Amino acid sequence: MYSAEDVKKIVKIKLKGYKFVLVSNREPYIHMHTPGGVKCKTPAGGLTAALDPLMQACGGTWGAGGSGDADRENVDKHNRTRVPPDKPEYTLKRVWMSKDEVDKFYFGFSNQTLWSLCHNVFEKPVYNKSFWNGYRHSNKLFANAVTEEIKNEKNAFIWFQDYHLALAPKMIKKANNHKKRKIVSAHFWHIPWPPYLVFRTCPWAKEILEGMLANNLIGFHLKEHCVNFLSCVEKILDLPVDYKKLAVAYDERRVFVKNFPISIDFDVVSTLAKKPGVKKEMKKARSPNKIPYKYIGVGVDRIDYTKGIIERFKAIDRFLEKYPEYQNNFVFVEAGAPSRTRIPSYASLNDEIEKTAEEINWKYQTGYWKPIKYIQGKLSYDELLGLYRTADVCIVSSLHDGMNLVAKEFIAANVDRTGILLLSGFAGAAEELREAVIVNPFDIEEFADAINTSLKMSRDEKKKRMNALRNSVKENNIYKWVYDFINETGRVMKG
Ligand code: GDG
């Protein structure tokens, strides 16, 4: 099993003499003013949860957009702060953006254009020139911040995260295009890459691809995303692609593309799930309306239209209709962390989720029992693990998802091996987690039946499946993901 030590070792071997810089839009630690003084919080979201353990293991600098109202007061004159605050292991370099810049870059092009373009969920991407200009401008801000961080370095390795930063790699390479400094860069794209016939609709498709091809290595969760990307490069930029080696010749180099399914820190989640604080939360989770119910279903999501929350509720409705013996016995707890609420489609989704839950509750409720409990807001980690451990079934019903870390966290937290994972076949995680009950979330009938199948499953069958899932996530943990990525970077850095 891979550990932080293995990551440290591979970074030392493959990137010896290189300054390690990681760049993402979202920062891993946010300073906020609270009535009790300034507090440092961690955001909800898969990316930062996955990469913080890596940075803690290998040090270096993480460049990211400052987002907390106390962030500016908590940096030095180079906009740096050491994190985690209670046990500093690496440097966080903050990049500042005004509200207008964030609106165009983050809420605009990143999340109304690229997010919908890359997810096959039939939400039309917004093609707006001012979003595009804002995206380019903010990518430049990140590129400048990185250039400042590496100005005294001979060699630097820069690892870009996600779809917010497609243009920064080319900008940095251009600004540092002299013999004195060697830059190796890699990009991990945390969401799917769409097929050519979809991607070609983007008016700036060419610039996005060229920005990314400045990297030495580009990673996706699934092989299918790699092939989609290469096919876009081949058809839009007219470049020769080697589908066997997953590489493309560009600018007198070879750029490699590879799949690296992301994961979690299995051991940490599994150990924390046994804490006394979590046991306390389990009691509360079993009795969501103050009464202990026989069956508890759980969903944990950033509120996003790709996560299939409405489809999940519709399936619960059909399940209760078709299998009435579960009425009064089954409660589904949905923990939804609000996200991107400044975007109209996200704000209206929240209303729709509330409305759908309310309608279903009205339809079935008797006495004190209501089938859906919708908790809005970010849960504490103890609450989250308490829910995971209590769940008889955890439902992940993404309509399309790069990976989905909730599925893996649920498995790691399921130390009693009593839960079942009901997983959408359209989440990247379904490729690895074969012992889950897999559904098409658009097929409400099949979905309703799958909830019944999950709850009816014998104790032995559940245990057998959960053991296999736990072994798989334990083996393929976050450290293996990083190890494989860095190892591959080392292999391809010569082009
Ligand atoms: C992108 C890709 C890919 C959620 N609610 C609470 C909470 N969370 C945490 C979960 C989990 C994370 O947020 C969500 O991770 P996902 O992987 O589901 O999703 P995205 O944010 O869409 O991430 C995704 C990921 O990048 C990594 O590559 O898997 O496909 O879309 O860690 O636990 N955490 C707490 N309270 C909550 O209420 N504490």
Side-chain angles (χ1 to χ4, degrees), residues 53-80:
L54 152 73
M55 290 304 284
Q56 290 201 35
C58 51
T61 297
W62 185 331
S67 56
D69 60 11
D71 271 0
R72 282 181 195 261
E73 300 141 51
N74 285 282
V75 289
D76 65 12
K77 63 178 196 286
H78 300 289
N79 301 316
R80 298 180 189 133

Side-chain angles (χ1 to χ4, degrees), residues 213-267:
L213 287 181
N215 289 297
N216 302 70
L217 174 67
I218 301 166
F220 295 98
H221 293 298
L222 305 184
K223 172 111 184 263
E224 206 171 320
H225 304 156
C226 300
V227 172
N228 282 348
F229 177 80
L230 287 171
S231 131
C232 290
V233 161
E234 183 180 40
K235 295 182 175 118
I236 296 169
L237 300 182
D238 197 18
L239 291 173
V241 164
D242 180 341
Y243 283 98
K244 237 186 183 165
K245 292 206 165 94
L246 293 179
V248 52
Y250 178 68
D251 207 14
E252 293 164 32
R253 299 173 295 123
R254 269 192 309 169
V255 181
F256 289 83
V257 179
K258 197 170 180 219
N259 51 315
F260 302 91
I262 205 168
S263 194
I264 56 160
D265 191 336
F266 178 91
D267 274 351

